Amino acid sequence: MPTTFDRTWQMSWNQIMDSTSGETALKNAVWQLKAMLKGEITLNDNTATPIGSPAGLWTCHYSCDGVTAGTAGDGVDRWTGTYTVGKLVDSNGGAHSWMVLKSPTNFGGATGFLYMVLELNQNNGTGFTCTVSRSAPTGGTTTARPTAPDEIGGIWTSFCANNTNTRFHGGMTSLGEWYALTSTGGVNFCGTGLLTALQDAKSADGFPYLFVSGGSTGSTGRPIYYGNSGVASPANCWGRDKNNAVTIHPSMAPWGPANNAAQTIFINQTTTDATDSAYDDLPVYVFVAQQGQFSLRGRLPDIRWAPTGTTEPSYEPVAGTPQSVIVSGVWFPTYIVPIF
Amino acid sequence: MPTTFEKTWNHLWNYVPDKTSAAIQSQNLAWFFKAFLLGQLPLYFNGAGSGTPGAPTGAWKCLYSSGVQSGANAGPGITTIAAGSNGAALPQATINVASTAGFPLGGGQFWINIAGSMQLITYTGTTGTSFTGCTGGSGTMATGQNVFDATDRWSANTTVAAGSNGAALPQATVNVASTTNFPASGSFQIYTSSGLQTVNYTGVTGTSFTGCTGGGGTMSTGGLVYNSLFSAAQIVQNTAGSAHNWMVLKSPDGLGPVYVYIDLNSAANANWSVAWSLTAPTGGSNTARPTATDEVQQSGWSNMSWTNGNTTQHAHGSLTTTGDFTIWIGDSGYINKSGLIFQKLADTKTADLYPYFMMAGNTPWSISPWCNVTSVGCRTFNGGGTFAAPVILVPIVNGSANCFSTNYMGGHDVVDMLADDHPLYVWNFSGGAYTLKGRLYDIKAGPAGIAQNSMFCEPSPTSPLSVLLGGAVTLAFWHPTYAQPVY
């Protein structure tokens, strides 16, 4: 497991969502994401101590509650700082809620802002739309979200599972980077996503960021980050080329020996390392394999590969305050034993 | 390519061995190995180009050695602390030992192994059972502790003869037991009452240096006189059981310390053995190298097969300021026709008592860092066993093993138009002892598809920071450098 971190993490785990219906659970989870980014919910450090003044907070650029659509830069959070289901209107085609969030100035330690749009436009209890851009989104009505010419992302198809038993688990660095997980049915993790700056990026890289909006697959309900077939679905991994001119789909390259037998052993490893009786971890590199865009863009801070054969959610250290938890073969920073 | 490095590297690349014959060439390369590590050759900082070499740091020390001796010293000198020094705290002017036989009698240096901590002592004289005029060291001596003669017998060495006994430097003539293998002019090192001195000379007889200038202190019969130059006659390769050269090198303390053994134990040219251990060695004679209980022998280097006498052959050595090192022998169109990496690994676990990696081999194919490297030597975390098949982890994209290397490295990264690099992890997956040991410092996976004989250096061939070794195979690796390699 990772024992040291590149970033300072502020986290909220095991949050029970609105169980009125699968749809309200989704609305609650999307609200939790924005509330975490804005510091409207209690965030804990990696010693499980509540943080009085979280750092790296995002701000509301403008928003819509399904009744009133704001204007760019008005700064009004029409979803409000308290979860109010009525402010979260989810409609596919009709009036609905959206919000444009603006990152801290030093997002990921670099100069410049990122913008993110959250849009409740699926009305199916599982998905919503989430986009990220460097330029500020413009426009927006009660029936259509604002857009930006350089936005990436789209429909986050399986953020939740239309299940009343849903929990939200999120983390944000003091530089504004974040991950968001949901678990469902008291069984396992479901949705997963992250937005982070890349470590070890090249100085000429004009978009050293990765956005992932992954969801559940198959009967296991686990997000696909890893497996014998690599990351998973590059379609859910979003980035831009070095000039921020073209949308690309980078891969989060897992590591393994270039030997199939050994690779299988690592991936399917179910026993701990002989040295310290702990599970291992390796850095996650972001790799663009598209024709004409070949590039090793950098690595994720702190979020690292683990053997997928481990039982989810294995966490370490096993005694005391957990520091990391395995979600489908990936270590995420945490501060508490996860509850599905 | 790596543009920044975690370690500070000193290098000496493109060393041209004496190619008078295949045998001499082999002897010179063996000498290069030890001389480079001992800081007896000028080293250049990474990126320093062909400028003035920097002061070498991270150099190793000769713990003891066997080689050609001239004069009265008949090493290798090995003895133990005697009861007369039991319980005495260093430094002590007189150190009692079982015997001083085999040590330079009139002054030199030796090591005492005090509970695993090697203490270097300089002395100016001896009796049959004691060293006198001792300085240096710390810790408490105990009866039976091992004492090693620090003399490097792989270069010319002799001792002060009676004709100079009691004479104070500088002296125009310095009498010695023999000047065999010393050049006709130059300089030598000598131990006097003032410690180690450097003397320049303009001529030699069979038993004296003439035209001497420099130095200070009073000479004593038996005082060690030596240089650090290559002399083929000082290097003897022969099978174990016959007299031959070996040397035990001690790393800087921060690296462990670790001990590396170079053993020229084959009559064939260019056949060496190399081993390493964490515990101090014991034993050793002119016909057999010392051993250690936890040593790991590198059989892969027991049959180095470079093309002896190849006129294109060059040697390349790189040393970090903490003592990690690599040696490469370029030959027959390959920068690394044969070579060796020894590193203390990065990102290791605190419980790992053996966080070291050695890999040696005789072709670029056997030492290229992809999976199942065979010519390697690692030890399990508690030292209980060895394993010789660590796996180097490489990135996998979309399920295609080595996709990074095989599919995309015909060109460069579009962001900076440089070829990429990845860290190299050492992983033991054999025998149920699953362990991710750690990763190499600075030596990183690079692309295949770029043959090493294409002289692939970045950021530019004329002022490189990294060079790609082991190309034309599944996976090549980047290595820090300061000069375009010649091979």
Side-chain angles (χ1 to χ4, degrees), chain B residues 73-344:
Chain B
N73 52 332
I78 313 167
T79 188
T80 55
I81 296 295
S85 289
N86 186 42
L90 291 171
Q92 290 284 330
T94 297
I95 294 176
N96 300 289
V97 294
S99 170
T100 56
F103 288 77
L105 299 179
Q109 287 189 313
F110 62 85
W111 297 92
I112 306 175
N113 183 1
I114 297 182
S117 176
M118 289 292 174
Q119 301 298 313
L120 185 61
I121 311 297
T122 299
Y123 65 97
T124 59
T126 58
T127 69
T129 57
S130 69
F131 295 98
T132 58
C134 297
T135 56
S138 62
T140 303
M141 294 181 285
T143 303
Q145 288 172 335
N146 287 321
V147 176
F148 308 100
D149 174 11
T151 304
D152 170 4
R153 291 188 167 81
W154 286 33
S155 291
N157 61 94
T158 186
T159 53
V160 174
S164 288
N165 187 42
L169 289 175
Q171 292 281 328
T173 298
V174 174
N175 299 289
V176 293
S178 170
T179 58
T180 300
N181 297 332
F182 283 86
S185 62
S187 63
F188 59 80
Q189 307 290 307
I190 181 171
Y191 281 98
T192 72
S193 60
S194 297
L196 187 61
Q197 306 292 308
T198 299
V199 173
N200 298 312
Y201 64 97
T202 59
V204 294
T205 70
T207 56
S208 69
F209 296 97
T210 59
C212 298
T213 55
T218 302
M219 294 181 284
S220 298
T221 301
L224 180 62
V225 177
Y226 67 96
N227 67 22
S228 300
L229 304 175
F230 170 65
S231 171
Q234 291 289 141
I235 309 293
V236 177
Q237 297 187 205
N238 213 332
T239 53
S242 299
H244 64 274
N245 281 43
W246 53 255
M247 182 176 288
V248 181
L249 295 147
K250 173 190 168 293
S251 77
D253 285 346
L255 201 69
V258 181
Y259 302 94
V260 162
Y261 308 71
I262 312 172
D263 190 12
L264 307 186
N265 62 343
S266 170
N269 294 328
N271 282 10
W272 310 342
S273 289
V274 61
W276 68 274
S277 70
L278 204 52
T279 59
T282 58
S285 68
N286 283 336
T287 59
R289 72 164 173 87
T291 57
T293 54
D294 64 344
E295 71 176 37
V296 182
Q297 168 112 358
Q298 302 306 297
S299 59
W301 240 23
S302 64
N303 187 31
M304 292 178 69
S305 56
W306 62 59
T307 307
N308 297 300
N310 187 302
T311 56
T312 64
Q313 195 167 68
H314 288 71
H316 317 285
S318 296
L319 174 71
T320 74
T321 53
T322 52
D324 316 85
F325 68 93
T326 64
I327 298 281
W328 307 103
I329 308 298
D331 186 15
S332 302
Y334 296 100
I335 298 170
N336 60 336
K337 176 68 176 177
S338 54
L340 180 148
I341 297 172
F342 184 78
Q343 280 203 3
K344 188 172 186 178

Side-chain angles (χ1 to χ4, degrees), chain B residues 476-487:
Chain B
F477 57 93
W478 289 109
H479 192 290
T481 188
Y482 73 107
Q484 195 174 28
V486 177
Y487 52 92

Side-chain angles (χ1 to χ4, degrees), chain A residues 254 256-257 273-275 280 295-296, chain B residues 349 391 394 396 413-414 434-436:
Chain A
D273 190 296
T275 300
D280 280 318
S295 183
L296 181 64
Chain B
K349 303 173 199 317
V391 170
V394 298
I396 302 168
D413 190 300
V414 297
Y434 162 66
T435 304
L436 184 66

Side-chain angles (χ1 to χ4, degrees), chain A residues 202 204-205 228-230 234 242 251 253-259 262-263 265-266 269 271-276 280-283 285 287 289 292-297 304, chain B residues 349 351-352 371-372 381 391-399 401-404 408-409 411-416 420-423 425 427 429 432-436 444 474:
Chain A
K202 298 167 176 45
D205 194 338
N228 290 346
S229 59
K242 69 186 176 76
S251 295
W255 288 70
N259 167 290
Q263 177 187 333
I265 290 172
F266 182 79
Q269 191 58 241
T271 58
T272 54
D273 190 296
T275 300
D276 59 5
D280 280 318
D281 60 273
L282 291 167
Y285 277 82
F287 196 88
Q293 295 291 344
F294 161 70
S295 183
L296 181 64
R297 300 297 287 268
R304 297 170 69 96
Chain B
K349 303 173 199 317
D352 193 343
C371 59
N372 297 339
F381 74 96
V391 170
I392 307 298
L393 298 169
V394 298
I396 302 168
V397 177
N398 294 335
N402 236 352
C403 185
F404 159 70
Y408 302 110
M409 294 314 296
H412 296 92
D413 190 300
V414 297
V415 173
D416 59 5
D420 278 321
D421 59 271
H422 290 262
Y425 280 82
W427 182 41
F429 73 102
Y434 162 66
T435 304
L436 184 66
K444 307 185 82 166
T474 305

Side-chain angles (χ1 to χ4, degrees), chain A residues 312-334:
Chain A
E312 180 183 289
S314 295
Y315 56 87
E316 289 179 344
V318 294
T321 303
Q323 297 290 296
S324 297
V325 58
I326 293 176
V327 179
S328 193
V330 178
W331 287 109
F332 282 90
T334 190

Side-chain angles (χ1 to χ4, degrees), chain B residues 448-460:
Chain B
I450 302 175
Q452 61 171 311
N453 57 9
S454 66
M455 192 71 73
F456 205 89
C457 298
E458 286 186 343
S460 76

Side-chain angles (χ1 to χ4, degrees), chain B residues 38-58:
Chain B
L38 294 176
Q40 295 170 342
L41 290 166
L43 302 181
Y44 296 81
F45 288 119
N46 213 60
S50 57
T52 304
T57 54

